[in-house]
Amino acid sequence: MKKLMHILFLSCLKASELIEKKFHFRLSFKEQMQLKIHKMMCSACTIYEKQSKVLDKSIEHHYKMLGKETELEALKKAIYKELSNK
Amino acid sequence: MKKYSAKKDLKEWVARYTEDLYYRACYKISDNDLAKDLVQETFLVAAEKITTFKGESSPKTWLFSILNHKIVDYYRKKGNQPIQTEPETFSKFFDHDERWRTEKRPQDWHEEESNLLDDEEFQDVLKECLDALPSQWNTCVKLKYLMNKKGEEICQELNITPSNYWQIVHRAKVQLRDCVETNWFQN
């Protein structure tokens, strides 16, 4: 029974880790179930997931606005210059 | 076998691989200016040694191996190993049973997502909170959103395991959420 509880019920730390993992990798069936069950019982993690999505979108928005880093273009120019001095 | 002509190939490689080399260096040494220097040095070494490059590995692999030597050299001179310290942040957010601490439990923001994206002040808070995060995470995020890389690709570029990767992201995201909540919603 204890083992079963352990499989079914995640801690908040583990649940929020799976929420983050889900942004980058596919969750296994077991992980999907574990997360679902946890969120049914835990309002904090449900809120966390919602906010984490909002944050992810905001970060994406933020970096899209910045565009490609101009400092990297400057670095390439500097390297070209160094190389042509050789 | 293809013969590598120093000038033309090198120029092309600078255009193609500078970003990847730079992000790897940033991840490994957490100092962006130094990372730039190392990338520059990598290409200088490549220019010297290009006649010995036989094309048995891809140019990218070859350049990365030069960069890795530079990084190892850097740590040797500095006198310590590139140990990746894990900041003890999680105990601030979770208790012994790994439950959210009462004062750190995520609170409902009562705010529409679309409103936040267009809100300049919110974007400013977000930016400040992003800057406060560990640079390792910043490198991961830049690869994802600036270079449009997938999770697996990012792990490859940075030479880390997937679980290492999402733990970095998890840690940073928990801190970021808390920072935004404290500086935006509670003010």
Side-chain angles (χ1 to χ4, degrees), chain B residues 73 84 160 186:
Chain B
D73 260 6
Q84 282 160 19
I160 53 177
Q186 288 172 9

Side-chain angles (χ1 to χ4, degrees), chain B residues 89-147:
Chain B
T89 44
F90 267 173
S91 54
K92 195 175 136 196
F93 297 101
F94 298 98
D95 63 19
H96 281 307
D97 296 325
E98 300 188 351
R99 278 189 299 240
W100 293 101
R101 286 188 186 281
T102 321
E103 69 278 16
K104 292 292 178 191
R105 271 173 77 89
Q107 304 294 319
D108 198 335
W109 288 349
H110 301 291
E111 187 82 60
E112 285 294 318
E113 180 187 317
S114 49
N115 296 345
L116 291 176
L117 287 181
D118 289 327
D119 192 315
E120 266 183 46
E121 277 180 58
F122 176 76
Q123 291 291 327
D124 285 345
V125 170
L126 180 81
K127 192 187 171 298
E128 270 174 46
C129 290
L130 281 171
D131 287 343
L133 290 172
S135 70
Q136 274 192 336
W137 180 77
N138 249 310
T139 310
C140 294
V141 171
K142 279 183 185 163
L143 282 169
K144 186 171 179 221
Y145 293 116
L146 276 178
M147 314 291 287

Side-chain angles (χ1 to χ4, degrees), chain B residues 16-160:
Chain B
R16 273 175 79 169
Y17 303 122
T18 298
E19 270 105 349
D20 291 343
L21 291 163
Y22 172 69
Y23 287 120
R24 166 74 72 93
C26 284
Y27 182 80
K28 288 284 182 194
I29 57 178
S30 307
D31 176 337
N32 297 359
D33 286 329
L34 196 59
K36 281 181 203 152
D37 290 346
L38 292 187
V39 174
Q40 191 154 348
E41 284 171 30
T42 299
F43 281 110
L44 291 179
V45 172
E48 271 168 32
K49 291 192 177 169
I50 194 162
T51 45
T52 65
F53 176 60
K54 300 280 194 304
E56 279 158 5
S57 60
S58 72
K60 190 177 174 181
T61 309
W62 186 60
L63 291 169
F64 266 85
S65 74
I66 299 174
L67 176 67
N68 278 339
H69 277 119
K70 290 269 160 208
I71 292 168
V72 171
D73 260 6
Y74 163 75
Y75 278 108
R76 192 175 294 143
K77 277 184 202 141
K78 213 177 150 224
N80 54 24
Q81 291 299 308
I83 306 164
Q84 282 160 19
T85 48
E86 299 253 313
E88 286 297 316
T89 44
F90 267 173
S91 54
K92 195 175 136 196
F93 297 101
F94 298 98
D95 63 19
H96 281 307
D97 296 325
E98 300 188 351
R99 278 189 299 240
W100 293 101
R101 286 188 186 281
T102 321
E103 69 278 16
K104 292 292 178 191
R105 271 173 77 89
Q107 304 294 319
D108 198 335
W109 288 349
H110 301 291
E111 187 82 60
E112 285 294 318
E113 180 187 317
S114 49
N115 296 345
L116 291 176
L117 287 181
D118 289 327
D119 192 315
E120 266 183 46
E121 277 180 58
F122 176 76
Q123 291 291 327
D124 285 345
V125 170
L126 180 81
K127 192 187 171 298
E128 270 174 46
C129 290
L130 281 171
D131 287 343
L133 290 172
S135 70
Q136 274 192 336
W137 180 77
N138 249 310
T139 310
C140 294
V141 171
K142 279 183 185 163
L143 282 169
K144 186 171 179 221
Y145 293 116
L146 276 178
M147 314 291 287
N148 291 316
K149 304 254 186 199
K150 300 248 177 309
E152 287 86 359
E153 288 176 294
I154 296 174
C155 294
Q156 234 170 32
E157 299 275 316
L158 300 178
N159 199 17
I160 53 177

Side-chain angles (χ1 to χ4, degrees), chain A residues 11-14 16-17 20-21 23-25 43-45 47-48 50-52 54-64 67-69 71-73 75-76 78-80 82-83 86, chain B residues 11 14-15 18-19 22-23 36 40 43 47-48 90 94 98 100 105-107 109 113 116-117 122-123 126-127 130 138 141-142 144-146 152 162 165-166 169-170 173-174 176-177:
Chain A
S11 65
C12 291
L13 187 134
K14 281 280 163 222
S16 58
E17 190 182 306
E20 294 306 331
K21 185 182 172 186
F23 282 107
H24 308 272
F25 300 91
S43 61
C45 284
I47 291 176
Y48 178 86
K50 204 175 133 206
Q51 292 173 347
S52 191
V54 174
L55 286 174
D56 223 56
K57 280 224 178 102
S58 310
I59 297 167
E60 184 172 9
H61 182 75
H62 172 74
Y63 278 110
K64 288 267 153 72
K68 284 250 155 132
E69 286 182 283
E71 53 171 350
L72 277 182
E73 291 310 312
L75 174 61
K76 281 185 201 170
I79 295 172
Y80 287 138
E82 283 283 331
L83 289 177
K86 278 252 149 188
Chain B
K11 245 192 130 175
V14 174
T18 298
E19 270 105 349
Y22 172 69
Y23 287 120
K36 281 181 203 152
Q40 191 154 348
F43 281 110
E48 271 168 32
F90 267 173
F94 298 98
E98 300 188 351
W100 293 101
R105 271 173 77 89
Q107 304 294 319
W109 288 349
E113 180 187 317
L116 291 176
L117 287 181
F122 176 76
Q123 291 291 327
L126 180 81
K127 192 187 171 298
L130 281 171
N138 249 310
V141 171
K142 279 183 185 163
K144 186 171 179 221
Y145 293 116
L146 276 178
E152 287 86 359
Y165 170 63
W166 78 67
V169 174
H170 178 215
K173 205 72 171 288
V174 169
L176 180 69
R177 199 210 65 81

